[in-house]
Amino acid sequence: MESKGTGTTEQPHLVSLVLQSKKALQHGEQLCSRAQSQYNASAQEAIEVLALDAKVRWVAEAIVEQLKLAASVAKCIEEKRAALTKQVKSWDTSRTKYTNSLESVLESLGGQVVPQDFHETSADSSLFGSQHSDDEEDAIIGLPSQRKYSNGGVVSPSSSPSSTLRRPGSIVQDKGKGKGKSNSAEERKKRAKADRSRWKTLRDFVDDRAIEDLLENVENDRNTLEDILNKTADYPSSLRNTITSLRESLPVPPQVPILTQMQDILIAEDAVIASMAEKLESLAGHYDGMAGALKDSEAGEVFADEDLENMNRDTEELPVIMGELDESAGEIEDYFQRLAASHRTAQQDLDHLSRVLNDLDELGDIMDEMLATQNTVEFQCEESLTSLQQHLETLDHLHERYVLYQTAFNKLVLEIARRRQYKEAAESIVNGMMSQLVIMAEEEGQVRKHFNAEYGGHLPEDICLCIGNEPTRWEVLPCPGDRRETLPEIPPDLIVEARERIGGNPDIAVGPESL
């Protein structure tokens, strides 16, 4: 600035400009100093944020690996349960097969009638024996008890037709028996036999209560197995829900890496700080110029109006510069707050991950208990399945025994038919022999009468006394100790049905003439 005059009227105004410049410089220095401090703090915050972010990522990765292990445990339990469930379903399929087979043979027994003579001839005996056997196995499966003959055969007590029916007596005597019975009783008996709706079936000789008890035991054991399986039913889903919850609670990685964010903030702060430094230098240069002008003025130098106008204009620009410094200081403050917020967020994430680690420790203990329980369940299921498999063997044995039972009955029907053929053939021979003997005796008697009439009177009485005897009359009787065999009556259609059930038997002739 050049001196243009010697006037002193502008000196007080120059002092005011210097004071304004000094005040602006001091305020600018304060803003820059505070901004520099926050800039330095920002750098430290950035370092701490990066360190926390590294910890968060490291811990999060470790947690993810632990969650993968937990997921593998859940899958392991699920696979073990699937294997057990497969075994149980296989058993259920077998049970359905065996129970259907048993029900089928029982229904078949219920559809096959038993002639009344098979079980009503003797009040104290039965072709099928007692349904309440002392034999433990027979009590379980509901079949009659059995005993062996001395020759090794097996029959039910009193099951022999000769022991259940009336013992045979002499043929002549048996012909006269039964004549004293009333005709009405005979007719009622015949009507009862004709009405098959009242006949018993083979099913009536089966102990249904024992079968029901067995099936009930099977169902109870199956329910027990289901209860055992249900102990770990929710383990896989519970573990997966917990794993999902923990995984979703993990911090979400930012779209922009933290390092890039920190670099961008620090670079932006560097630009702001550099701008503030330039403005502070400008304030310092203005103050130095004004201070020099004041010294020159005090030394007697007088400034021209143009110089004073320039000084006023420069001083008037000071508020604009101060506003820019305030704005820049605010930007530095904003960047610092962003870094501080990132610091707090990272610390919160780290604290949360610490709690997740504690939850994982607790989850580990829970998984140990789950695996121990699953092992116990597997052991108990194996035991239960072994017991249930024995039930299937019992059902299969029941089915086999009732099939043999029905087959034996059909064979019995055919055997009775065969014996009736034999009996009728034997009786035919005996009856023919008896008729021939009667005729022979009558002829012999006529011959003897003729002889005695013609020559008897001429013979002394004490010679051959037997000459006057009648011819011996013969009677064909069973062997000593035996009586005539009586067989139950079997309708021809039942014999045909029995033959069809066992596949036919051409050796058995069926017809009215054989019954």
Side-chain angles (χ1 to χ4, degrees):
M1 287 177 277
E2 297 179 355
S3 174
K4 297 296 181 180
T6 59
T8 59
T9 57
E10 300 298 331
Q11 295 302 317
H13 178 68
L14 187 60
V15 172
S16 174
L17 294 178
V18 171
L19 292 177
Q20 291 181 27
S21 297
K22 182 177 181 180
K23 184 177 180 180
L25 177 61
Q26 290 176 346
H27 185 61
E29 289 176 345
Q30 291 178 356
L31 290 176
C32 290
S33 177
R34 186 174 65 190
Q36 184 65 38
S37 298
Q38 287 187 341
Y39 173 76
N40 294 334
S42 296
Q44 185 63 34
E45 284 288 328
I47 294 173
E48 293 180 1
V49 168
L50 292 175
L52 287 174
D53 177 68
K55 289 181 180 180
V56 167
R57 286 187 288 105
W58 180 76
V59 174
E61 290 174 358
I63 290 175
V64 169
E65 293 300 321
Q66 292 296 319
L67 292 178
K68 290 180 179 179
L69 291 177
S72 66
V73 171
K75 183 178 180 180
C76 177
I77 294 177
E78 187 175 39
E79 290 176 349
K80 290 182 176 181
R81 282 186 49 78
L84 289 176
T85 302
K86 184 178 180 181
Q87 294 182 41
V88 173
K89 287 183 178 180
S90 176
W91 182 89
D92 287 336
T93 301
S94 299
R95 178 178 71 164
T96 301
K97 172 184 174 182
Y98 287 122
T99 52
N100 288 343
S101 297
L102 178 59
E103 185 62 28
S104 177
V105 71
L106 290 176
E107 289 180 359
S108 179
L109 293 177
Q112 190 167 1
V113 296
V114 179
Q116 290 179 326
D117 288 349
F118 272 47
H119 58 86
E120 291 183 352
T121 303
S122 178
D124 58 352
S125 63
S126 168
L127 275 171
F128 307 99
S130 172
Q131 295 188 57
H132 305 287
S133 171
D134 292 333
D135 189 299
E136 180 178 356
E137 178 184 0
D138 293 335
I140 292 177
I141 64 175
L143 285 176
S145 61
Q146 298 177 334
R147 64 184 181 188
K148 291 185 178 180
Y149 279 140
S150 59
N151 62 0
V154 180
V155 296
S156 300
S158 304
S159 63
S160 171
S162 62
S163 63
T164 51
L165 304 180
R166 183 161 51 86
R167 301 291 294 181
S170 68
I171 297 178
V172 176
Q173 292 173 349
D174 285 347
K175 285 184 177 181
K177 289 187 178 181
K179 291 183 179 180
K181 294 183 179 179
S182 65
N183 292 332
S184 60
E186 290 287 348
E187 292 176 358
R188 286 197 299 271
K189 185 175 180 181
K190 289 181 179 180
R191 286 197 299 270
K193 288 184 177 180
D195 184 9
R196 295 188 183 182
S197 63
R198 297 187 178 183
W199 284 17
K200 288 187 177 181
T201 66
L202 289 178
R203 180 69 179 268
D204 293 324
F205 296 92
V206 173
D207 190 352
D208 284 333
R209 180 59 182 272
I211 297 177
E212 291 175 359
D213 290 342
L214 171 62
L215 295 178
E216 183 178 357
N217 290 336
V218 173
E219 185 64 24
N220 290 338
D221 289 349
R222 177 62 179 85
N223 291 335
T224 299
L225 175 60
E226 190 67 23
D227 293 338
I228 294 173
L229 283 174
N230 288 336
K231 290 181 180 178
T232 60
D234 62 337
Y235 281 8
S237 60
S238 177
L239 279 177
R240 287 196 176 92
N241 292 337
T242 302
I243 292 169
T244 301
S245 177
L246 292 176
R247 182 178 284 114
E248 291 177 350
S249 70
L250 296 179
V252 179
Q255 295 181 351
V256 180
I258 293 296
L259 178 60
T260 301
Q261 295 181 27
M262 298 300 101
Q263 289 176 342
D264 292 343
I265 291 176
L266 292 178
I267 291 173
E269 283 188 331
D270 285 340
V272 173
I273 289 297
S275 175
M276 292 181 71
E278 291 178 357
K279 290 180 175 61
L280 184 61
E281 288 178 359
S282 176
L283 290 176
H286 179 71
Y287 173 72
D288 289 342
M290 294 305 298
L294 180 61
K295 287 181 180 180
D296 291 341
S297 176
E298 290 177 349
E301 183 178 356
V302 178
F303 296 96
D305 293 337
E306 184 180 356
D307 293 334
L308 292 175
E309 288 178 1
N310 290 332
M311 292 181 188
N312 287 327
R313 186 177 61 252
D314 292 341
T315 303
E316 289 175 354
E317 292 179 356
L318 290 178
V320 176
I321 297 175
M322 296 305 299
E324 293 176 352
L325 285 175
D326 284 334
E327 184 178 351
S328 297
E331 291 179 3
I332 296 296
E333 177 68 21
D334 290 340
Y335 287 132
F336 176 78
Q337 292 300 328
R338 287 175 60 183
L339 290 171
S342 298
H343 188 175
R344 289 192 299 270
T345 300
Q347 186 62 51
Q348 290 173 357
D349 290 343
L350 188 61
D351 294 340
H352 172 70
L353 292 178
S354 178
R355 292 190 294 271
V356 172
L357 287 175
N358 293 334
D359 293 339
L360 278 177
D361 290 338
E362 183 178 354
L363 180 61
D365 295 336
I366 294 174
M367 287 191 297
D368 289 339
E369 294 179 2
M370 286 183 172
L371 289 173
T373 303
Q374 180 62 34
N375 290 334
T376 302
V377 165
E378 289 180 17
F379 177 75
Q380 292 176 346
C381 283
E382 291 296 333
E383 287 187 335
S384 183
L385 284 172
T386 300
S387 176
L388 289 172
Q389 191 63 34
Q390 293 175 353
H391 285 316
L392 293 185
E393 294 174 0
T394 302
L395 290 174
D396 186 36
H397 182 61
L398 267 177
H399 172 262
E400 182 180 356
R401 289 292 297 272
Y402 284 128
V403 169
L404 293 175
Y405 166 48
Q406 187 176 32
T407 302
F409 175 79
N410 292 323
K411 290 286 188 178
L412 172 63
V413 170
L414 298 180
E415 175 65 13
I416 294 299
R418 187 196 64 78
R419 292 189 184 188
R420 177 172 287 278
Q421 285 183 325
Y422 165 79
K423 173 178 174 294
E424 291 175 351
E427 288 180 349
S428 177
I429 294 173
V430 170
N431 291 334
M433 183 182 297
M434 287 179 60
S435 298
Q436 186 177 359
L437 289 174
V438 169
I439 293 173
M440 289 175 63
E442 291 178 353
E443 291 177 352
E444 178 65 17
Q446 294 296 328
V447 173
R448 291 188 183 190
K449 286 181 181 181
H450 178 73
F451 176 83
N452 288 333
E454 183 176 356
Y455 302 105
H458 303 287
L459 295 174
E461 294 182 357
D462 56 350
I463 292 178
C464 194
L465 300 179
C466 66
I467 197 63
N469 292 344
E470 292 289 331
T472 301
R473 292 184 176 276
W474 292 92
E475 183 177 292
V476 181
L477 298 175
C479 293
D482 286 348
R483 288 183 294 175
R484 184 180 179 186
E485 184 178 39
T486 304
L487 298 174
E489 295 183 5
I490 306 176
D493 62 311
L494 295 187
I495 298 176
V496 174
E497 179 184 351
R499 181 191 300 165
E500 292 175 350
R501 287 180 180 273
I502 62 173
N505 187 349
D507 295 334
I508 301 297
V510 180
E513 68 280 358
S514 65
L515 298 178

